[in-house]
Amino acid sequence: EGEVLGLSGLMGSQRTEIVSCIFGLDKFNSGEIYLNQKKVKFSDASQAIKNGIGMVPEDRKRDGIIHTMNVRENVTIASLQKISKAGWINYKMEEKSVSDQVKSLDIKIVSFEQPAIKLSGGNQQKVVLGRFLALKPKLLILDEPTRGIDIGAKAEVHKIISEIAKNGVAVIMISSELPEILGASDRIVVLCEGRITDELSYKEATQEKILSSALK
């Protein structure tokens, strides 16, 4: 709880594949996953979500934002069970859920009905973040959370990640940018071809150590 664990490695290190297994998107042949000291194995992402895990994917436009939906629908799509009863959505609960995320993440929109695909890259990323924060997750996986957004939006996302951890959520963050990994992580696990080659605290981690371990 409250820790940002950075996963670092070069292309082909299988960082995304590992978190996809944790989130139930991919199957794995060996190894075990424990959540709160209990062994778990999810057959799909919906089971992971029910167990308090959220995942912001690497490719925001392909796997994150749902192009045919507006901001309201994109934010609440993962938490429909919480805001509905007998198949009917409670629109007051839905509006509050969206409003809370728009306000806390400072998502710049015209209205809740605005097509999410029309937002800037940074605001699209915040919408996807809001989708899983609305679930009040125990673990949030962030795969390249600042890829393709401008410097200002990156700073905002970094601040959000810090706040998420301060609120007691465990965070796993993948980033190809070493300054980002070094600046945002409490602990860093370095991978090479799916193997852990090093584990460093933020105090001892340097770009040189990470790159050296990534090549082992």
Side-chain angles (χ1 to χ4, degrees):
E1 293 181 359
E3 180 187 48
V4 179
L5 174 67
L7 293 188
S8 186
L10 303 176
M11 189 175 290
S13 61
Q14 299 185 12
R15 298 165 303 176
T16 295
E17 288 81 355
I18 289 171
V19 294
S20 292
C21 288
I22 294 172
F23 194 55
L25 294 174
D26 289 330
K27 295 180 180 179
F28 55 94
N29 298 320
S30 62
E32 296 175 333
I33 300 170
Y34 287 83
L35 182 66
N36 291 328
Q37 289 80 52
K38 290 179 66 177
K39 186 178 176 180
V40 294
K41 187 172 184 179
F42 308 125
S43 58
D44 55 41
S46 65
Q47 289 185 0
I49 289 170
K50 286 176 183 177
N51 280 272
I53 301 176
M55 180 172 166
V56 176
E58 177 182 13
D59 192 324
R60 177 182 64 251
K61 289 192 174 180
R62 187 187 68 190
D63 303 318
I65 284 291
I66 301 171
H67 293 211
T68 56
M69 291 185 174
N70 57 34
V71 171
R72 171 178 54 80
E73 294 164 329
N74 263 280
V75 170
T76 59
I77 187 68
S79 52
L80 290 177
Q81 287 187 330
K82 288 191 172 186
I83 59 172
S84 63
K85 188 174 182 180
W88 294 91
I89 294 174
N90 183 320
Y91 287 106
K92 284 187 177 180
M93 289 178 67
E94 182 185 42
E95 187 169 326
K96 184 179 185 310
S97 178
V98 179
S99 180
D100 286 348
Q101 297 309 317
V102 168
K103 185 177 179 180
S104 66
L105 299 176
D106 192 24
I107 305 173
K108 294 174 177 62
I109 58 172
V110 175
S111 75
F112 294 166
E113 308 308 308
Q114 182 177 0
I117 195 63
K118 297 292 186 182
L119 301 178
S120 68
N123 283 299
Q124 287 182 12
Q125 191 71 327
K126 289 180 185 179
V127 166
V128 181
L129 271 166
R131 176 186 302 163
F132 292 106
L133 291 178
L135 293 166
K136 295 182 170 45
K138 300 169 187 171
L139 168 64
L140 185 61
I141 301 168
L142 306 172
D143 194 350
E144 301 286 2
T146 63
R147 175 174 287 177
I149 62 179
D150 61 42
I151 292 173
K154 280 187 178 186
E156 288 186 77
V157 170
H158 290 159
K159 185 178 178 182
I160 290 167
I161 294 170
S162 178
E163 288 298 319
I164 292 169
K166 282 180 183 176
N167 289 331
V169 178
V171 178
I172 297 176
M173 184 185 76
I174 294 173
S175 178
S176 299
E177 299 182 20
L178 289 182
E180 183 168 72
I181 281 284
L182 289 165
S185 306
D186 298 303
R187 184 163 52 100
I188 299 165
V189 168
V190 187
L191 299 165
C192 180
E193 298 180 347
R195 296 175 293 107
I196 294 176
T197 55
D198 209 348
E199 187 174 326
L200 305 162
S201 72
Y202 75 95
K203 292 181 179 178
E204 61 182 329
T206 64
Q207 291 196 30
E208 291 74 18
K209 285 183 178 180
I210 292 173
L211 283 172
S212 175
S213 297
L215 293 167
K216 288 181 180 176

